[in-house]
Amino acid sequence: KKQYRLKFVKKQGSDKAKDYAFLGMGTNSEWVLNGPFLDKTLIRNRLVYGLGRELFEWAPDCRYCELFVDGKYKGVYLVTEPVTNGESRLRLCEFGLANGQTAYIVKRDRCDSEELPLDVYGHYAGKTSNDLFIDYPGANSLTDVQREWITKDIDQFERVLYSDAFADPEYGYAKYIDVDNFVNYVVLNEAVMNNDAGNLSTYVYKELGGKLQIAIWDYNNCFDNYQWFPQEYSEFFLKESAWFSQLLKDRAFVDKVVARYRELREGILSEKYMYEQIDAQRALLGDAIDRNFAVWGYTFHEHLVRHENGLHTNPHSYDEAIMQLKKAIHTR
């Protein structure tokens, strides 16, 4: 089930972007068509993005659709805002200063997945996993002086973060990051069992003159739906992630995480609230579920989710997939 990047243009054959309020969302020219293949509920990304939009200054908006490509039915997709700049997105400054200072977005992902990773302290000192790549400003507009400034900015933060004085309330990491934003990121990703949090598909952004913030992205694997190995329900998933492995060594940061978790468990991270969201999305999908699995129903019989000792936990029906998701939420 292919994933698509979609761009609206002013006219056929043109490369000039056209902003469009796709399915009632904020106007922009760039969109992602996410095809839930591994997630048999079709709901995980929609669920977590919805929770994120109640937690963060910005999180992806999304809508379900049924996709046809060249007249051929492809099933249920989730039209999703990518982590980009724009009026309805991150709203970062679109200008920089002469010294190279600029608003920016960087993405942490697998080594060699893109060209020109940032050569920063965490990388060459062996403190972090995978590589950081500049996502904004885009390749066509990024200048050498901006690239140098972004590199130095992150390098300086990482040198402080991995220093002996990293937890100093005035000169430590809190000087460089939006602590509440990072706390919310920990709580949400731990709650939903996101094995990739902090290390893969991880977007960090900074407004001109602001502090580092982190955005949520990609949750098809969450809630014990990881493809390659079983997840332990008592595990903490960010304790070895880039940056967070160090942040979680600070008692003050951990205390904020604990307090925020207890607060959110009474609201949007309660089982009752999450079950209601799942049931609402299932009702919204309605007959589209049957149409989707008329094409993709064979995947109920494939060994897609592998667990130890040869045990395969791929659900055999849509009802079983929903039951597994709710059980995972309850157990976690």
Side-chain angles (χ1 to χ4, degrees), residues 82-100:
V83 185
T84 53
N85 195 30
E87 181 64 27
S88 64
R89 306 281 169 85
L90 292 178
R91 298 186 179 183
L92 302 176
C93 284
E94 295 182 358
F95 64 88
L97 305 182
N99 66 357

Side-chain angles (χ1 to χ4, degrees), residues 27-70:
T27 58
N28 203 281
S29 62
E30 293 187 59
W31 303 86
V32 166
L33 290 171
N34 169 240
F37 180 82
L38 183 66
D39 176 19
K40 296 298 174 292
T41 71
L42 311 174
I43 286 173
R44 280 175 169 81
N45 264 332
R46 177 65 184 85
L47 170 66
V48 181
Y49 292 155
L51 299 175
R53 287 178 68 79
E54 299 192 52
L55 275 176
F56 295 94
E57 184 176 295
W58 181 86
D61 200 358
C62 54
R63 299 285 191 277
Y64 285 117
C65 73
E66 291 181 88
L67 180 66
F68 293 79
V69 178
D70 295 332

Side-chain angles (χ1 to χ4, degrees), residues 95-102 143-146 148-149 208:
F95 64 88
L97 305 182
N99 66 357
Q101 187 174 352
T102 179
T143 66
D144 289 341
V145 69
Q146 285 176 328
E148 182 179 357
W149 186 87
L208 191 66

Side-chain angles (χ1 to χ4, degrees), residues 1 56 104 134 144 166 170 184 193 239 254 280 290 313:
K1 199 170 190 181
F56 295 94
Y104 63 81
I134 297 175
D144 289 341
F166 80 102
E170 186 174 357
N184 280 338
M193 305 171 67
K239 67 182 185 298
V254 172
D290 294 331
T313 59

Side-chain angles (χ1 to χ4, degrees), residues 132-157:
L132 285 172
F133 306 92
I134 297 175
D135 229 44
Y136 176 82
N140 293 332
S141 58
L142 179 70
T143 66
D144 289 341
V145 69
Q146 285 176 328
R147 181 179 178 82
E148 182 179 357
W149 186 87
I150 293 170
T151 301
K152 288 182 177 179
D153 194 55
I154 294 176
D155 185 87
Q156 181 181 20
F157 161 62

Side-chain angles (χ1 to χ4, degrees), residues 23 41-43 46-47 61-66 76-79 275-291 318 322:
L23 299 180
T41 71
L42 311 174
I43 286 173
R46 177 65 184 85
L47 170 66
D61 200 358
C62 54
R63 299 285 191 277
Y64 285 117
C65 73
E66 291 181 88
V76 170
Y77 273 71
L78 193 66
V79 181
Y275 290 173
E276 288 173 351
Q277 302 310 303
I278 292 168
D279 293 341
Q281 296 308 316
R282 181 175 185 173
L284 178 63
L285 285 167
D287 293 340
I289 295 168
D290 294 331
R291 291 190 291 271
Y318 187 79
I322 293 291

Side-chain angles (χ1 to χ4, degrees), residues 40-41 282 289 300 315-325:
K40 296 298 174 292
T41 71
R282 181 175 185 173
I289 295 168
F300 284 121
H316 294 94
S317 70
Y318 187 79
D319 286 341
E320 185 179 343
I322 293 291
M323 180 187 70
Q324 283 184 355
L325 174 56

